[in-house]
């Protein structure tokens, strides 16, 4: 590659990272505005090439600026910025290493989803949107935040899925874009709220979908939305 081409490629890479960082910050702020996290709990990441941009640890999302861009390589080594990356970095990196299609990860402490994680090993099939996450949403066993043990348990719960609950902790979802990852988080919280609401009616039990019904929806969702 010639010097001019290398310079152009570097400039293109910087622009891509700057745009991705702006979108990441907007998504992180949205988790607070939508009540999915409180303060600086939860975290967001987006992959740009071999660099993973992540929210920094303990910094209010409202204070983040373009100059605060924080990034690591897939090996966890910091390659961009001076702020310390989120303490949940092991979970984010585990997702990117396990699924090359993953381009964004959203982790929250959403109230209803966290409540469900305390009660059952798997979110009951109360709604067909479980198909958008790959099937019945599992609950990963509890482990201390920021540990490899938590990341391993999360990967087991994510097998064949794009989202799971973390016992006594929260949620994690991923997708091919920040919008998709965030939408999956919002859908998961809504389904958890639905189940808790229906389950709270005295003397009644929520009706659940069958695996066959879920499989039918899974097939229908393949053709959902606008064609490119």
């Amino acid at each position: 590659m010639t010097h001019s081409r290398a310079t152009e490629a570097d400039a293109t890479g910087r622009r891509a990272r700057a745009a991705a960082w702006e979108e990441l910050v907007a998504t992180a702020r949205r988790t607070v505005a939508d009540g999915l996290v409180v303060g600086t709990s939860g975290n967001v990441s987006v992959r740009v090439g071999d660099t993973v941009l992540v929210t920094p640890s303990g910094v209010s999302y409202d204070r983040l600026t373009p100059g605060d861009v924080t990034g690591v390589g897939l090996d966890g080594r910091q390659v961009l910025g001076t702020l310390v990356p989120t303490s949940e970095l092991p979970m984010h990196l585990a997702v990117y290493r396990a699924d090359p299609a993953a381009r964004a990860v959203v982790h929250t402490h959403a109230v209803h989803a966290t409540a469900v994680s305390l009660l059952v090993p798997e979110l009951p099939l109360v709604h067909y949107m479980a198909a958008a996450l790959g099937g019945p949403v599992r609950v990963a066993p509890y482990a201390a935040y920021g540990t490899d043990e938590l990341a391993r348990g999360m990967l087991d719960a994510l097998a064949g899925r794009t989202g799971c609950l973390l016992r006594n902790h929260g949620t994690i979802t991923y997708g091919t874009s920040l919008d998709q990852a965030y939408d999956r988080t919002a859908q998961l919280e809504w389904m958890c709220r639905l189940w808790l609401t229906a389950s709270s009616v005295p003397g009644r039990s929520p009706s659940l979908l069958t695996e066959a019904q879920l499989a039918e929806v899974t097939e229908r969702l393949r053709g959902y939305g606008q064609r490119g």
Side-chain angles (χ1 to χ4, degrees):
M1 181 180 293
T2 66
H3 177 70
S4 61
R5 287 182 179 175
T7 301
E8 182 179 346
D10 288 343
T12 299
R14 286 194 297 271
R15 287 193 295 270
R17 288 190 292 271
W21 177 253
E22 182 178 1
E23 188 180 4
L24 179 149
V25 171
T27 301
R29 290 173 178 169
R30 188 178 175 189
T31 64
V32 177
D34 290 352
L36 298 177
V37 302
V38 176
T40 61
S41 65
N43 27 77
V44 179
S45 70
V46 60
R47 181 175 176 177
V48 182
D50 290 331
T51 300
V52 176
L53 305 182
V54 296
T55 47
S57 178
V59 179
S60 172
Y61 300 143
D62 287 339
R63 289 173 45 201
L64 292 175
T65 70
D68 292 324
V69 60
T70 304
V72 302
L74 291 173
D75 59 359
R77 181 175 56 88
Q78 188 158 357
V79 295
L80 291 172
T82 58
L83 295 176
V84 177
T86 172
S87 58
E88 297 289 14
L89 187 60
M91 279 203 303
H92 290 258
L93 293 179
V95 170
Y96 293 119
R97 292 167 183 156
D99 188 348
R103 284 297 178 271
V105 176
V106 176
H107 165 53
T108 79
H109 293 176
V111 173
H112 299 93
T114 304
V116 170
S117 81
L118 313 177
L119 301 171
V120 291
E122 182 178 277
L123 174 63
L125 280 175
V126 290
H127 199 272
Y128 64 77
M129 282 307 293
L133 296 170
V137 179
R138 307 182 189 101
V139 180
Y142 176 79
Y145 78 90
T147 62
D148 290 335
E149 180 185 1
L150 176 60
R152 287 193 296 270
M154 172 207 68
L155 282 183
D156 288 341
L158 281 176
R161 307 287 186 268
T162 53
C164 73
L165 302 177
L166 307 169
R167 191 174 303 284
N168 297 81
H169 189 155
T171 70
I172 192 159
T173 59
Y174 73 93
T176 57
S177 68
L178 277 167
D179 279 346
Q180 187 181 64
Y182 187 87
D183 183 64
R184 286 171 172 167
T185 293
Q187 291 285 359
L188 178 53
E189 169 66 356
W190 181 84
M191 285 191 292
C192 288
R193 184 178 182 182
L194 174 63
W195 180 69
L196 288 171
T197 301
S199 298
S200 69
V201 179
R204 302 300 296 264
S205 296
S207 64
L208 303 178
L209 298 176
T210 66
E211 290 287 350
Q213 289 170 326
L214 190 68
E216 178 188 6
V217 173
T218 299
E219 188 60 34
R220 290 177 65 87
L221 284 175
R222 297 186 198 281
Y224 179 78
Q226 301 299 315
R227 290 176 172 79

